Structure formats: structure tokens, C-alpha cells
Amino acid sequence: MADGSALTLAALGGTGLSVLGLAGTMGVGLVFLQAALAKLRHRDLLAGVISNYRLLPSAMVAPAAVLLAPAELVIAIGLLLGGQALAAAASILLLAVFAAAMGINIARGRREIDCGCGRSQLRQPLSWLLVARNLLLAALLVPRLLPNPAPAMADLVVALAGGLAIFVIVQLFNAIGALAASPLATQRR
């Protein structure tokens, strides 16, 4: 850039959005993979987590608990294998549903329930930050809904690094949020 201004996604045009969308699919795909595997490992707890939200009729809790982890796993695989528009759309929808469920419970004054975000050993109470996290992850996938040119090898490398960074940031966000809400942290206050 001749005037010395920073390189932005707008300056990159479609390629920048394509790389951002691909990085988002990699990162969100890894988030969904980790969440699905955690839910499968602790499937006996999932119905209780879903029930705590008090959004589904009792008869729907068990089927939702049975279907959620496999759905997340299928979405994760779809995202990680190229992030086709269908996988991106399903992921955006699921993230929006999770954000809405959290938002409804926060509005009801029910912040103390566990979000069920994946790692049972790092329980997190509901917060607007978790809602924002889910909406931000969904927004990262929007470019995958648009027509995307075939990425160059350099774009794939950048997208992979970006996706790994997104995954690590989400994991750190979750760990810090859970630790901040832990009994040890509340004793220090």
C-alpha cells in the first residue's frame, strides 16, 4: 500500500473473506469436534445439562441428548473437510440456538446453570460473554456461505494457522471463564 496504511480484509477483497471464512471453518470445526467428543465421553450428564435450560418439554430432553453429540460430530467433520456451505449453515444455526438458549436463561435470571460447552471439568455459568462468543463464532462462518474461489496453497496454510488460533483462543476463553467462576476464585474475592 503506497500510503502506508494497514492491510485490511476490505483491501484483500474476496480472497481475504475467503481465507477468513476458511480459518473460521477450521477453528469452529475443531471447537465442535472437541465439544462432541466431550459430550460423547460424558453422555450420562448431557440430559441433565439440557434439562437445566428448561426450554424443551421433558419428553424431548432424552432425544436431544442422544442426537446433539452426533450432530456436532457430523458438523465438525463437514467443516474440517472443507467447510461446505451446508456444514457452515448448520453450524451457524446450532451456534445461534445455543446463544438463544443461553440468552433466554440469562434473561430469566438463571445464570448459575452450566453452559454445557463441552469440558465437564471446566463448568461455566451462563454469561453474555458466552452468548457473544457463540455469535462471533457463527459470524466467522458467514463467508463460507458465499461463493468462494478455490484457495491457493498459501491461503490454505494461513487459514489452517488462523483456524488453530481460533480454536486455542476459544479453549483459553472457556478455561479462564470456568476458572473465574470456580469456588477457589470466589473465595479470593
Side-chain angles (χ1 to χ4, degrees):
M1 309 222 122
D3 65 346
S5 63
L7 188 60
T8 64
L9 283 177
L12 292 173
T15 302
L17 284 176
S18 178
V19 171
L20 177 65
L22 195 53
T25 60
M26 299 290 178
V28 174
L30 290 170
V31 168
F32 269 96
L33 180 63
Q34 180 271 324
L37 294 176
K39 285 177 179 77
L40 289 170
R41 272 192 307 273
H42 304 287
R43 66 181 142 261
D44 54 324
L45 302 175
L46 187 55
V49 171
I50 293 171
S51 180
N52 281 342
Y53 275 86
R54 296 183 188 164
L55 295 172
L56 292 177
S58 302
M60 296 300 297
V61 170
V66 168
L67 294 174
L68 184 57
E72 287 181 338
L73 190 58
V74 167
I75 289 170
I77 292 168
L79 291 173
L80 293 170
L81 292 179
Q84 299 304 318
L86 181 60
S91 183
I92 290 168
L93 178 64
L94 197 51
L95 287 164
V97 167
F98 292 159
M102 289 178 196
I104 289 167
N105 275 280
I106 292 168
R108 291 176 175 171
R110 302 188 70 244
R111 293 176 180 258
E112 76 287 347
I113 66 174
D114 178 35
C115 72
C117 298
R119 299 188 62 147
S120 63
Q121 64 273 36
L122 293 176
R123 300 173 60 94
Q124 293 183 74
L126 300 183
S127 72
W128 289 114
L129 283 173
L130 289 174
V131 173
R133 178 207 59 195
N134 282 2
L135 295 177
L136 178 61
L137 290 174
L140 287 173
L141 297 169
V142 170
R144 295 306 292 168
L145 300 177
L146 307 171
N148 290 294
M153 184 56 73
D155 293 341
L156 286 174
V157 171
V158 169
L160 180 60
L164 290 171
I166 290 166
F167 175 71
V168 169
I169 289 168
V170 169
Q171 297 310 306
L172 287 171
F173 176 89
N174 290 345
I176 291 168
L179 292 172
S182 74
L184 283 176
T186 54
Q187 288 175 357
R188 292 184 183 171
R189 292 183 191 152

